[in-house]
């Protein structure tokens, strides 16, 4: 199976779907990673770009990603990018990878970049003839999903009991992004949420998703 995960920012995929991606890879699936934005000057120092690329490389190796696609749009300024331009860029990755399953950020989210990637991702994976995508799921980004005015409503849960420790180890590779407890982006915050989501479905740890589309042929 080929899987594509879309991230507005590197670390979104790990916060929302890291354990699930590790399950896919353990099962022999190809996992491809598309990162939509990157730091830009003068809002960020030039060194931020280099640091971000180094973290992406390290995380990609830690997962065993099949491929990484950096689209290079400006972080926290996706609203300045023409909608059609962004949708076409994501569409280009979908056409090259031809995934069966796509994970993307949620629409119910305080972060504007997350919402835009969700919308453009849905455009890029629309079920036109010869589209490879059979399933689209939005993942939960605990740091921002909880603050939006409509709740993230999960209807798919994945048991990550065997993968939670590794997920947190990978999250630590984002040294500039990891925070101290009780921040939800802290190792303890990720563990608490996974256990709470798992408790809701009778397992020790889980990630949850909103199923946006599933096509059965």
């Amino acid at each position: 199976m080929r899987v594509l995960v879309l991230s507005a920012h590197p670390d979104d995929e790990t916060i929302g779907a890291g354990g699930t991606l590790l399950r896919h890879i353990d099962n022999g699936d190809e996992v491809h990673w598309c990162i939509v934005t990157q730091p830009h000057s003068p809002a960020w120092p030039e060194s931020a770009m280099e640091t971000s690329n180094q973290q992406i490389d390290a995380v990609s190796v830690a997962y065993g990603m099949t491929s990484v696609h950096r689209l290079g749009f400006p972080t926290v300024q996706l609203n300045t990018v023409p909608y059609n331009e962004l949708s076409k860029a994501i569409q280009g990755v979908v056409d090259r990878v031809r995934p069966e399953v796509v994970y993307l950020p949620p629409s119910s989210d305080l972060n504007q970049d997350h919402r835009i990637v969700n919308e453009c991702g849905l455009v890029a994976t629309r079920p036109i003839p010869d589209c490879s995508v059979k399933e689209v799921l939005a993942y939960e980004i605990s740091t921002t999903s909880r603050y939006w005015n409509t709740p993230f409503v999960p209807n798919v849960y994945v048991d990550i009991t065997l993968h939670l420790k590794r997920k947190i180890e990978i999250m630590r590779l984002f040294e500039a992004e990891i925070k101290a407890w009780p921040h939800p982006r802290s190792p303890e915050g990720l563990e608490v949420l996974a256990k709470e989501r798992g408790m809701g479905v009778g397992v020790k740890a889980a990630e949850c998703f909103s199923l946006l589309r599933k096509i059965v042929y």
Side-chain angles (χ1 to χ4, degrees):
M1 178 188 295
R2 281 190 298 277
V3 174
L4 175 64
V5 58
L6 301 179
S7 304
H9 321 98
D11 81 358
D12 292 343
E13 75 301 316
T14 299
I15 294 171
T20 302
L21 299 178
L22 288 167
R23 277 185 60 129
H24 276 297
I25 291 167
D26 281 355
N27 289 336
D29 298 336
E30 292 182 10
V31 176
H32 302 259
W33 185 17
C34 176
I35 305 151
V36 175
T37 72
Q38 66 181 23
H40 50 89
S41 61
W44 280 264
E46 293 293 337
S47 60
M49 174 78 75
E50 183 179 350
T51 299
S52 177
N53 282 326
Q54 289 173 348
Q55 290 178 351
I56 291 169
D57 290 342
V59 168
S60 173
V61 169
Y63 274 113
M65 296 284 189
T66 302
S67 68
V68 180
H69 306 261
R70 297 169 168 91
L71 299 187
F73 291 104
T75 191
V76 302
Q77 292 184 1
L78 276 186
N79 59 315
T80 67
V81 178
Y83 194 84
N84 191 44
E85 181 181 344
L86 180 53
S87 297
K88 281 186 175 180
I90 297 174
Q91 177 79 62
V93 176
V94 172
D95 290 346
R96 290 196 295 277
V97 172
R98 293 193 60 75
E100 297 162 82
V101 176
V102 173
Y103 295 98
L104 41 66
S107 60
S108 300
D109 197 292
L110 179 65
N111 189 292
Q112 182 174 247
D113 286 354
H114 297 166
R115 300 197 305 273
I116 292 173
V117 172
N118 176 280
E119 291 183 13
C120 292
L122 286 175
V123 172
T125 60
R126 63 195 183 281
I128 57 178
D130 197 38
C131 178
S132 64
V133 180
K134 300 175 181 174
E135 196 168 308
V136 181
L137 303 105
Y139 51 80
E140 179 183 33
I141 303 178
S142 57
T143 51
T144 48
S145 298
R146 68 184 63 218
Y147 302 124
W148 192 230
N149 53 16
T150 55
F152 178 81
V153 180
N155 53 16
V156 175
Y157 293 78
V158 177
D159 183 353
I160 63 163
T161 302
L162 299 179
H163 301 87
L164 177 58
K165 180 180 178 182
R166 184 65 178 143
K167 165 181 173 163
I168 292 174
E169 289 173 354
I170 292 175
M171 186 63 198
R172 291 182 186 276
L173 296 174
F174 292 107
E175 294 178 4
E177 307 299 333
I178 200 82
K179 303 295 182 184
W181 174 257
H183 196 286
R185 208 187 300 153
S186 63
E188 295 89 346
L190 296 175
E191 182 175 355
V192 166
L193 180 66
K195 289 181 176 178
E196 193 280 331
R197 290 305 196 185
M199 181 179 65
V201 292
V203 300
K204 292 182 178 177
E207 289 171 340
C208 61
F209 302 86
S210 176
L211 178 63
L212 304 179
R213 184 189 308 126
K214 183 178 179 67
I215 303 174
V216 179
Y217 294 99

